[in-house]
Amino acid sequence: MAEPWWRDAVIYQIYIRSFADGNGDGLGDIAGIRSRLRHLADLGVDALWINPWYPSPMADAGYDVSDYRAVEPRFGTLADAEALLREAHDAGLRVLLDIVPNHSSDQHPWFTEALAAGPGSPARERYLFRPGRGADGAEPPNGWQSVFGGSAWQRVTEPDGSPGEWYLHLFAPEQPDLNWEHPDVRADFEKTLRFWFDRGVDGFRIDVAHSLVKEPGLPDASDLEWPRKPVEVDGELQRAPWRPHPFWDRDEVHEVYREWRLLADSYDDPKVYVAEAWVDEPERLARYLRPDELHTAFNFTYLQAIWDAGYLRQVIGETLEEHRAVGAPATWVLSNHDVARHVSRYAREQTTPGSSLMELLGRPADLDLGRRRARAAVLLTLALPGSAYVYQGEELGLEEVEDLPDEVLADPTWERSGHTDRGRDGCRVPLPWSGDAPPYGFSPEGSTAQPWLPQPAGWGPLTAEAQSGDPGSMLELYRAALHRRRETPALGDGELTWLDLPEGVLGFTREPGFGCVVNVTAEPVALPTGYDVVLASGPLPDGMLPAATSAWLARPQQ
Ligand code: TEU
């Protein structure tokens, strides 16, 4: 029997607001995606993951959903969505949507109903309402903090005008957490999954998959840190030992995914899931991937890894070992819509793992070095066993836009942090498709609307049009690598064998006859002998592998 498609798929992430604008309002939409399907098919990816396209007040860019079974009018209609699904499938592309089960929008009818129905009502049971502490209940029920800054609790005004209960929101106040102990919540999400599966959607990315279930009684905890900081053991930094947390990665969440898996498997062409679970410990992450749970999970340890051969090898090795234990394929991901673009991360000397813009700002950046490392990194990523993700724009070598004016910042993090954390907008700037000046073909010719975030003046050479056909461009490197990956039986799912190479050089072979070598040092090194180079991330003068360069190798047939 053929391997299931998802075990080695390369999945392209479409951040819909910023991919392509089909109707000329400056915001990306479904018509824009349809107009660019050729780009995606030519690139050589197998599937698309589209960020939330449901009706939303956009307090958190669509991760605040007010109706899970419809399409946001600014993105199009349900008919547009169905047309896209058909066209993508005709082009050989699978489509994953993004489901947001931890919280709804505060404009969701359930939440409006809960506010109106008042304390003690059945409608409030679907969320996590609690009385406050202290005199008059003026203090939040516990000390939990929101991911976006500040308390994770918001007080409501009761229908009679009095100051009332508080509700939990692990993210923005406009994103009240749902109560996953409630049967209505479980039933409604199954209905949503079925709704989209029945329309041909091939699977879902599950937003904050590790959060749904909270510790009964919502206890205050002294240790809410997440991810937990490494601890020093005998002078070396080690991962902190696992301890239960009141809301992240609780064991009870797995029951939900066992139900979801049964639903996915009930289709003739079974549907698939990918978990967004920021769970640091490989063994804990692997629990989501047991055979009766989710198919795959993003590998954020790899995404956050520093440019260091020893560290990369350790992360890759641990990942493969833990995934092997549960029979799931690993995934490899360098960037997404929540982290600083990897070109800009690699442009800095990084000593501790991490991925946020705030960690980078102020450190000297060498973007040419960042791009060279990014080129080397994608050949590594696509050669590793399992499936891989490409975040829109990385195939163009886009950098993080670090100097967006304060007044355009739209990520709730900016406001919630009291203007100390600039948030995630810098990786969400609309894509440059063609031309020399903004909007670089993002909106249709003749439209006067500005893209929802301003694009840098210097992106002319980075447009898809400018890079197409230029053999030295990032785009052509992605195309070449993705097409060769498809034709190379050794790539995709499977195993690797590490090569014994000098310190700072990472290399492995995969059978039959494939090798990958990455020079993570600052000096050129000799290429391993006995192989032909089939693809390299940069020029290889005198048979050497320069610094920040990688190569794909083939053992000549005997
Ligand atoms: O993100 C979950 C999450 O916890 C992080 O990605 C977090 O947003 C990041 O570390 C910045 O602090 C998911 C979505 O990917 C993200 O875009 C949403 O904002 C979030 O859930 C809430 O739905």
Side-chain angles (χ1 to χ4, degrees), residues 93-390:
L93 298 163
R94 304 267 186 169
V95 180
L96 310 186
L97 298 186
D98 200 325
I99 192 150
V100 190
N102 180 67
H103 42 264
S104 72
S105 159
D106 63 348
Q107 304 300 311
H108 190 285
W110 274 0
F111 195 73
T112 320
E113 186 191 343
L115 284 186
S121 62
R124 288 217 172 166
E125 292 293 310
R126 297 192 189 110
Y127 292 89
L128 295 163
F129 281 88
R130 294 289 181 277
R133 286 183 303 187
D136 307 325
E139 300 289 321
N142 67 29
W144 297 2
Q145 297 292 298
S146 144
V147 173
F148 295 152
S151 170
W153 294 91
Q154 177 78 24
R155 195 170 197 185
V156 304
T157 303
E158 298 302 352
D160 66 3
S162 62
E165 291 190 318
W166 298 68
Y167 66 87
L168 180 73
H169 60 88
L170 290 183
F171 292 88
E174 296 87 350
Q175 294 167 298
D177 279 51
L178 287 157
N179 174 14
W180 274 86
E181 306 295 339
H182 200 297
D184 285 2
V185 172
R186 294 192 183 218
D188 198 66
F189 273 90
E190 292 211 5
K191 192 169 165 191
T192 296
L193 293 172
R194 223 183 272 281
F195 176 90
W196 293 105
F197 286 158
D198 290 348
R199 280 165 180 75
V201 164
D202 298 289
F204 276 96
R205 176 257 190 195
I206 304 169
D207 189 58
V208 243
H210 58 310
S211 61
L212 278 37
V213 182
K214 279 80 186 179
E215 186 171 348
L218 312 184
D220 236 328
S222 54
D223 174 18
L224 290 171
E225 185 181 68
W226 194 269
R228 294 197 162 109
K229 296 219 166 48
V231 290
E232 211 176 294
V233 180
D234 299 331
E236 284 210 8
L237 283 186
Q238 285 190 4
R239 197 176 296 113
W242 184 81
R243 286 188 304 283
H245 190 282
F247 49 89
W248 298 128
D249 189 30
R250 296 195 58 79
D251 287 339
E252 302 83 346
V253 78
H254 295 283
E255 288 163 29
V256 175
Y257 301 132
R258 289 199 188 97
E259 294 295 321
W260 287 20
R261 179 62 179 254
L262 289 175
L263 177 56
D265 284 346
S266 71
Y267 285 81
D268 286 343
D269 185 13
K271 310 295 184 177
V272 306
Y273 301 112
V274 52
E276 187 223 18
W278 292 84
V279 172
D280 240 16
E281 219 176 64
E283 189 276 329
R284 293 292 304 180
L285 185 64
R287 287 171 186 242
Y288 291 79
L289 305 176
R290 289 175 287 197
D292 59 344
E293 295 194 39
L294 305 177
H295 305 73
T296 55
F298 296 120
N299 183 348
F300 292 128
T301 318
Y302 181 70
L303 181 152
Q304 298 186 84
I306 54 176
W307 188 253
D308 174 277
Y311 186 74
L312 281 167
R313 180 164 165 167
Q314 180 196 329
V315 168
I316 294 166
E318 281 184 355
T319 300
L320 292 174
E321 195 181 319
E322 294 300 346
H323 283 72
R324 197 180 299 123
V326 286
T331 72
W332 308 98
V333 48
L334 293 169
S335 278
N336 67 31
H337 65 293
D338 290 331
V339 304
R341 282 193 178 272
H342 61 270
V343 162
S344 298
R345 284 187 271 126
Y346 292 152
R348 270 86 171 187
E349 289 319 316
Q350 235 187 321
T351 49
T352 49
S355 60
S356 87
L357 169 65
M358 297 316 289
E359 289 160 18
L360 305 179
L361 282 175
R363 293 192 211 165
D366 176 347
L367 283 180
D368 285 340
L369 176 64
R371 286 208 173 85
R372 277 208 308 283
R373 287 178 173 175
R375 294 175 65 89
V378 72
L379 291 196
L380 169 64
T381 301
L382 293 177
L384 290 169
S387 150
Y389 284 81
V390 173

